Amino acid sequence: MYYMKLDRSPQLEPVQIMKMEKDDKKSKTDKPTPSIRFHDVAGLEEVKEELVEIIDFIKNPEKYYKMGAKIPKGVLFHGPPGTGKTLLAQAIAGETASAFFPASGSEFVEKYVGVGAKRVRTLFEKAKKESPSVIFIDEIDAIGAKRSTESNNEKDQTLNQLLIEMDGFHSEQTVIVIGATNRIDLLDDALLRPGRFDRHMFIGNPDVKAREEILKVHIQNKPIDALVDIKKLAKRTHGMSGAHLSNIANEAAILAVRNNKKQIGIDEFNQAIEKVVAGLQRKNAVVIEKEKRTVSFHEAGHALLGKLLNTDSVSKISIVPRGEALGYVLYSPEEDRYLITTKELKNKIQVLLGGRAAEQLIFGEVSTGARDDLKKANSIAYQMVCEYGMSNLVNRVFDISLIKNCYSMIDGEIKNIIDECYINSISKLETNLDLLNRVSSELYEKETLTGEELDLIIKDFENKPECCFAT
Ligand code: ATP
């Protein structure tokens, strides 16, 4: 027991616990070794290099024991969703012919005290029996979140059991525990200390080269038209995860079947990208005229500011509803960026606020259409203040646990950034009002404009003095 807390969770009779355990055992058959290998995981070269040592350890444990070296017990993969964390864990088991025991943190979250802990114990018992084995716990934050003074007896017992199990391997038992989370900042320190999950590997979204390789993995069993340029597709899918890319390849294949094609062509890939980015096209959506006009100005505002501020290049603007959105602008960044300046972040916010700014300017009032834009803009501003030290509080950053105490100060800084950007968005669009009207009316007529069409419209205005482009 790590520490005592007030117990507010309901207790279960021992007989009931035994019955639930039995059910657990019945529902979970032993998993075979996965067939996934490292070559199925595209990109992530540095991570794979790091893992080679662990793989060698599982394959030849005596070599390390002779030297008195201890096997690393826990590896923690952290990073955004869909980036290949589960795939990598499967590949480790596949490469080492180990038994694979996947679980999700949420499976251990139970209402009844003791059930989660029992499940952890059962999982580890099975893995030890099948050694060498790999236990993979996805969403480990569901059970490994920082313990607080607020009591949750069941959660604490489950986490404690996990810690006890990780401490308790015998040297001849080769069991590697791999945890995965999107939120490493939430994890309890006890879980991260040496001897437990002490190897942390960040699995981020793929860069352009890795995206190309991931796309190649996912089209290798599909008939692809020779005109499809995978390099170009990789460039156009900036910011997407491996899961998005595998989804695009699959959607393109389904579309090719629907279009009675023998091969998957560039049209199918284009449609698949749009579907993944913006959701399903709502062909029969009825948008009233007034709303269509509002959406035209809103999207024109985004696209125009993107051009004026020279942020990511616009590849398409549309007011054909897709998913929940009544319109959208697709951007295709030229290159992967790892460092972004204050000015560039503010430019991004201005582009995000461009839709609302255009509505304000033209109609004198704003609509609910900017909900998602506002979320994204505020999230960038929050990161600038709390993580990047890019506010008036210069070079200060705020740990998540401190934010509650400094909320009004942080909120004031976020407000400063958002207000400044919004004023700039309005003023830039005001200076280019003719152009805004022109782009919006073309969009209203055609409903979709390509990046090239937008460039042509802008070219007409380039010589006019009121259209000033950012340097
Ligand atoms: P989450 O955090 O949401 O659990 P994850 O990081 O575990 O996601 P995976 O389940 O491993 O993501 O990936 C989802 C799918 O995306 C995989 O089944 C695979 O098809 C594809 N994928 C992701 N990354 C890669 C990659 N590097 N190479 C090949 N395919 C990938």
Side-chain angles (χ1 to χ4, degrees):
M1 181 67 71
Y2 281 77
Y3 51 78
M4 296 275 294
K5 277 184 191 163
L6 217 104
D7 177 12
R8 284 200 218 123
S9 313
Q11 301 279 342
L12 217 62
E13 294 297 322
V15 183
Q16 287 173 293
I17 293 186
M18 274 164 64
K19 187 178 172 306
M20 287 182 85
E21 262 178 66
K22 250 192 202 164
D23 291 346
D24 279 357
K25 274 182 195 159
K26 258 190 261 167
S27 63
K28 279 187 192 157
T29 48
D30 286 355
K31 293 277 189 302
T33 303
S35 56
I36 308 278
R37 296 286 185 275
F38 267 177
H39 60 76
D40 297 308
V41 187
L44 299 173
E45 296 310 327
E46 327 73 55
V47 179
K48 285 195 263 182
E49 258 169 45
E50 275 280 312
L51 291 172
V52 164
E53 193 183 82
I54 291 177
I55 287 180
D56 189 45
F57 195 101
I58 302 176
K59 281 184 171 165
N60 311 298
E62 316 77 38
K63 198 164 92 180
Y64 293 83
Y65 291 140
K66 264 192 215 155
M67 278 295 165
K70 280 191 192 145
I71 181 166
K73 288 178 192 162
V75 179
L76 186 72
F77 293 152
H78 63 105
T83 45
K85 297 184 283 298
T86 311
L87 203 63
L88 265 177
Q90 287 172 325
I92 294 173
E95 290 284 343
T96 54
S98 299
F100 187 63
F101 294 91
S104 165
S106 52
E107 284 172 31
F108 302 103
V109 180
E110 275 293 342
K111 210 159 71 178
Y112 299 107
V113 176
V115 177
K118 275 273 181 200
R119 286 197 177 144
V120 171
R121 207 175 309 148
T122 312
L123 176 67
F124 276 76
E125 266 165 22
K126 275 196 212 165
K128 281 184 214 168
K129 227 189 267 166
E130 300 289 327
S131 159
S133 52
V134 172
I135 295 177
F136 176 65
I137 309 178
D138 204 358
E139 297 171 35
I140 196 161
D141 41 288
I143 47 169
K146 282 190 175 77
R147 287 167 290 187
S148 66
T149 44
E150 262 171 50
S151 159
N152 187 333
N153 201 306
E154 160 57 10
K155 263 195 168 172
D156 292 352
Q157 275 202 19
T158 311
L159 174 57
N160 289 346
Q161 191 61 43
L162 178 63
L163 300 176
I164 289 165
E165 294 293 343
M166 290 192 75
D167 290 343
F169 296 139
H170 299 305
S171 52
E172 65 275 13
Q173 286 166 331
T174 310
V175 179
I176 299 281
V177 191
I178 300 175
T181 178
N182 308 138
R183 295 292 308 270
I184 192 173
D185 54 311
L186 295 183
L187 294 184
D188 198 287
D189 291 339
L191 207 53
L192 303 176
R193 80 147 171 74
R196 289 168 187 159
F197 289 102
D198 49 5
R199 298 204 172 195
H200 307 166
M201 298 183 190
F202 178 70
I203 318 285
N205 277 329
D207 62 13
V208 65
K209 178 97 188 30
R211 289 200 298 279
E212 188 182 334
E213 283 166 23
I214 295 174
L215 281 167
K216 279 183 185 157
V217 165
H218 290 283
I219 60 165
Q220 66 190 358
N221 58 352
K222 300 179 173 70
I224 305 289
D225 188 309
L227 291 175
V228 174
D229 185 340
I230 299 298
K231 265 195 174 30
K232 273 194 187 153
L233 282 181
K235 273 193 177 168
R236 288 181 47 202
T237 45
H238 177 269
M240 290 195 192
S241 67
H244 283 126
L245 298 170
S246 100
N247 199 3
I248 285 172
N250 192 45
E251 287 295 340
I254 293 171
L255 284 166
V257 173
R258 196 184 293 165
N259 298 342
N260 283 324
K261 294 250 192 99
K262 288 211 164 57
Q263 288 183 317
I264 309 170
I266 193 65
D267 284 349
E268 283 78 27
F269 276 105
N270 285 340
Q271 286 176 44
I273 291 176
E274 274 192 72
K275 193 169 163 187
V276 169
V277 174
L280 272 181
Q281 191 164 325
R282 293 195 342 242
K283 287 213 166 99
N284 301 322
V286 184
V287 180
I288 57 170
E289 285 310 294
K290 183 173 179 293
E291 285 188 351
K292 196 174 157 188
R293 230 170 91 74
T294 309
V295 180
S296 309
F297 274 104
H298 184 105
E299 300 310 330
H302 284 307
L304 195 51
L305 275 176
K307 281 280 165 196
L308 294 170
L309 294 167
N310 202 13
T311 57
D312 300 333
S313 74
V314 174
S315 64
K316 187 171 180 177
I317 324 171
S318 174
I319 56 165
V320 179
R322 253 181 198 277
E324 283 183 29
L326 292 177
Y328 55 92
V329 180
L330 284 184
Y331 299 96
S332 52
E334 302 294 329
E335 57 206 353
D336 286 322
R337 296 288 308 274
Y338 300 99
L339 290 177
I340 310 182
T341 64
T342 311
K343 188 177 166 199
E344 285 169 330
L345 283 175
K346 285 189 176 171
N347 284 351
K348 268 182 195 292
I349 297 178
Q350 287 182 57
V351 175
L352 283 165
L353 297 177
R356 172 156 281 201
E359 288 180 35
Q360 178 65 46
L361 201 60
I362 303 294
F363 305 107
E365 61 173 354
V366 295
S367 74
T368 52
R371 188 178 67 163
D372 202 41
D373 303 330
L374 293 178
K375 260 194 211 161
K376 288 181 185 153
N378 275 272
S379 159
I380 297 176
Y382 169 87
Q383 284 181 301
M384 289 174 74
V385 177
C386 296
E387 293 172 22
Y388 306 141
M390 287 177 171
S391 69
N392 291 326
L393 307 169
V394 261
N395 299 339
R396 288 189 64 195
V397 293
F398 295 87
D399 185 78
I400 197 145
S401 57
L402 284 176
I403 287 174
K404 243 204 251 165
N405 304 339
C406 318
Y407 180 76
S408 60
M409 189 162 72
I410 291 169
D411 190 48
E413 288 303 319
I414 293 176
K415 183 181 178 328
N416 287 343
I417 294 174
I418 296 286
D419 287 355
E420 178 197 325
C421 292
Y422 190 53
I423 290 169
N424 283 343
S425 298
I426 293 206
S427 121
K428 285 210 175 62
L429 291 179
E430 208 167 16
T431 319
N432 294 280
L433 200 56
D434 293 346
L435 188 51
L436 177 67
N437 271 309
R438 171 84 193 276
V439 174
S440 157
S441 69
E442 293 264 353
L443 187 58
Y444 184 90
E445 284 305 315
K446 295 186 177 154
E447 299 199 343
T448 297
L449 293 176
T450 61
E452 292 80 37
E453 284 169 330
L454 177 66
D455 287 342
L456 278 178
I457 297 170
I458 292 175
K459 234 182 179 180
D460 282 350
F461 280 80
E462 246 176 5
N463 298 327
K464 291 197 176 175
E466 67 266 33
C467 176
C468 44
F469 285 86
T471 46

